Amino acid sequence: GTSSGWCVATARRSCLLVGLAWLIAGCAGSTPASTIAIPAGALQVRAADTAFAPSRLSVQADQPFVLYFANGDTLPHNVVITGRGGARVFVGEIFSGVAQRIQEVPALAPGVYQLQCDLHPEMKGDLEARVSAAQGSTSSRRSSPGEAIRGAM
């Protein structure tokens, strides 16, 4: 009689400990286990409360860039960049948060573009591709690559 009572009590304690371990693991899983490092010079966009932050950004025109997208929501999101007439010039991966992605974006011509999320049309932002002063001075006059190097010395 006493050995079976001991077995039942031990089994209950084991189940309780396993259940507690699963509960702790589940709670720990609600925070990001790891965060992807932000590459130097990356354009940083965050999804928080079904909105982009910041909602106004700028990049250098005619230069590809790295987009660091941090989804701080548990909902799935992506970043889509649209140009004139709604033409989609970049479509990022849809993924659930809390997580981050690093994505390569092709060069954008000078102008203002819109950011949006495919799954949440209320998520909007503006992205301006600007011509820098250096770009403006080199593109306004034609020079050979050798001349540009000599001018920099």
Side-chain angles (χ1 to χ4, degrees):
T2 58
S3 65
S4 65
W6 180 84
C7 288
V8 170
T10 302
R12 284 185 184 152
R13 271 188 238 122
S14 295
C15 286
L16 182 61
L17 289 175
V18 168
L20 185 58
W22 277 104
L23 179 64
I24 291 169
C27 289
S30 65
T31 59
S34 64
T35 300
I36 298 173
I38 301 170
L43 179 71
Q44 298 177 47
V45 180
R46 177 175 170 80
D49 300 323
T50 316
F52 288 123
S55 62
R56 299 182 64 83
L57 301 154
S58 65
V59 294
Q60 187 172 331
D62 301 318
Q63 298 290 320
F65 62 94
V66 173
L67 172 67
Y68 177 89
F69 180 45
N71 184 352
D73 289 339
T74 56
L75 298 171
H77 295 300
N78 74 335
V79 174
V80 177
I81 301 172
T82 59
R84 293 179 194 245
R88 295 158 71 93
V89 296
F90 172 80
V91 179
E93 172 190 354
I94 296 173
F95 65 97
S96 295
V98 172
Q100 309 83 36
R101 295 291 187 273
I102 297 171
Q103 301 169 336
E104 301 285 330
V105 179
L108 300 174
V112 177
Y113 297 81
Q114 285 68 51
L115 299 178
Q116 65 185 51
C117 172
D118 275 334
L119 303 177
H120 303 97
E122 69 275 16
M123 290 179 69
K124 295 189 182 299
D126 292 321
L127 174 65
E128 183 178 3
R130 297 180 180 170
V131 176
S132 69
Q135 279 178 300
S137 65
T138 57
S139 63
S140 64
R141 104 183 149 83
R142 297 188 184 264
S143 62
S144 68
E147 184 180 320
I149 292 170
R150 284 191 299 278
M153 293 181 182

